[in-house]
């Protein structure tokens, strides 16, 4: 069974600041790791994913994430946030049986102030 | 144009009543999922399906049934709605292994049971 933990429930930043959202997982085998964004009142939207290869993956809107097998982590970063980045961000893992969908973390709410 | 559409977007139901949440996708995906979202619990998988006329139990199936009459449609049925089923429900589709199990979500259905 795979698990995902997001250590920060809420992060507050100012426009132009950088942000890093932490995600740690536990699973012994090969997995897909991904990040999703949820704006208030809407469904989740895919940001980026990692399975193998370059541990730094690029996503939409300037987001990137770095996989670390030694730390069991997949942290999301953005160099300069915009007010529109205010949302809840979910880390997710998918283990060997892809049919069973994703296991999500509890999410990190990001509030961006002008 | 939204590829996963849910209806209704919002509903108030009485305890003990029957509720049907519907989901329609135009992604031509084989896999479909129903998740519920509650504050403090993130998203939890209720039921999923990987082919028409077949459904599988997810992590929290008790009190819910699912129906997949066609590739495009996937319904979630609450035969006897209870207060504890007040939540936001999300439908998602995926082509599973082909995309690393990237999920495409609908906008959600907010259910309030009174």
């Amino acid at each position: 069974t795979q698990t995902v933990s997001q250590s920060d429930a809420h992060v507050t930043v100012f426009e132009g600041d950088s942000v890093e959202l932490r995600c740690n997982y536990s699973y012994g085998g090969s997995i897909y790791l991904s990040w999703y964004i949820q704006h208030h009142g809407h469904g989740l939207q895919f940001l980026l994913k990692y399975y193998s290869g370059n541990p730094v993956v690029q996503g939409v809107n300037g987001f990137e994430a770095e996989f670390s097998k030694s730390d069991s982590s997949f942290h999301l970063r953005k160099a300069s946030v915009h007010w529109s980045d205010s949302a809840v961000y979910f880390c997710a893992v998918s283990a060997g049986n892809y049919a069973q969908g994703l296991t999500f973390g509890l999410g990190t709410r990001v509030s961006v102030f002008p | 144009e939204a590829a996963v559409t849910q209806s209704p977007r919002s509903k108030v139901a009485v305890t003990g009543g029957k509720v049907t949440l519907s989901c329609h996708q135009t992604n031509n995906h084989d896999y479909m999922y129903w998740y519920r979202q509650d504050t403090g619990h993130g998203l939890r998988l209720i039921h999923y399906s990987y082919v028409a006329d077949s459904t599988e139990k997810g992590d929290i199936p008790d009190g819910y049934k699912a129906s997949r009459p066609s590739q495009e449609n996937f319904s979630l049925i609450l035969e006897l709605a209870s207060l504890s089923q007040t939540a936001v429900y999300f439908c998602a589709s995926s082509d599973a292994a082909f995309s690393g199990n990237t999920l495409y979500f609908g906008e959600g259905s907010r259910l309030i049971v009174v």
Side-chain angles (χ1 to χ4, degrees):
Chain A
T1 303
Q2 66 271 20
T3 63
V4 185
S5 65
Q6 295 181 243
S7 54
D8 298 312
H10 191 191
V11 171
T12 301
V13 291
F14 291 94
E15 266 197 315
D17 285 352
S18 63
V19 69
E20 178 177 85
L21 307 182
R22 304 176 65 81
C23 173
N24 291 90
Y25 67 92
S26 63
Y27 185 70
S30 298
I31 57 172
Y32 279 100
L33 292 156
S34 51
W35 279 94
Y36 287 76
I37 180 173
Q38 183 183 31
H39 288 103
H40 182 70
H42 294 275
L44 281 72
Q45 291 180 285
F46 171 76
L47 274 181
L48 48 75
K49 68 184 177 189
Y50 171 83
Y51 178 67
S52 65
N54 189 335
V56 179
V57 292
Q58 305 295 324
V60 298
N61 294 334
F63 287 97
E64 69 174 28
E66 184 167 4
F67 168 74
S68 171
K69 186 173 183 178
S70 60
D71 293 339
S72 298
S73 68
F74 188 55
H75 302 327
L76 181 71
R77 300 188 296 249
K78 186 170 183 178
S80 178
V81 296
H82 186 263
W83 65 267
S84 61
D85 294 324
S86 294
V88 181
Y89 293 79
F90 291 94
C91 183
V93 300
S94 174
N97 186 349
Y98 303 125
Q100 294 180 357
L102 303 178
T103 298
F104 289 89
L106 296 184
T108 297
R109 178 176 299 279
V110 174
S111 298
V112 181
F113 290 93
Chain B
E1 183 177 343
V4 180
T5 55
Q6 296 182 228
S7 63
R9 291 292 314 279
S10 180
K11 183 175 180 66
V12 178
V14 295
T15 302
K18 182 177 181 179
V19 176
T20 300
L21 305 179
S22 299
C23 179
H24 178 81
Q25 57 107 352
T26 57
N27 293 322
N28 198 33
H29 288 164
D30 287 329
Y31 297 82
M32 296 187 74
Y33 308 88
W34 277 106
Y35 286 89
R36 71 175 275 173
Q37 183 175 39
D38 304 271
T39 303
H41 287 280
L43 280 86
R44 293 179 289 174
L45 182 64
I46 307 171
H47 284 288
Y48 63 97
S49 169
Y50 50 86
V51 67
D53 295 323
S54 177
T55 64
E56 305 293 333
K57 294 180 179 179
D59 299 321
I60 54 163
D62 292 346
Y64 302 94
K65 290 172 56 178
S67 173
R68 182 92 183 270
S70 64
Q71 185 195 43
E72 298 82 12
N73 295 293
F74 191 37
S75 297
L76 185 69
I77 303 154
L78 291 66
E79 296 277 6
L80 296 169
S82 67
L83 296 175
S84 65
Q85 293 176 312
T86 292
V88 180
Y89 293 85
F90 288 97
C91 176
S93 74
S94 168
D95 56 6
F98 295 104
S99 68
N101 213 10
T102 298
L103 265 57
Y104 298 85
F105 283 86
E107 290 286 88
S109 296
R110 180 176 297 275
L111 175 64
I112 298 173
V113 182
V114 298

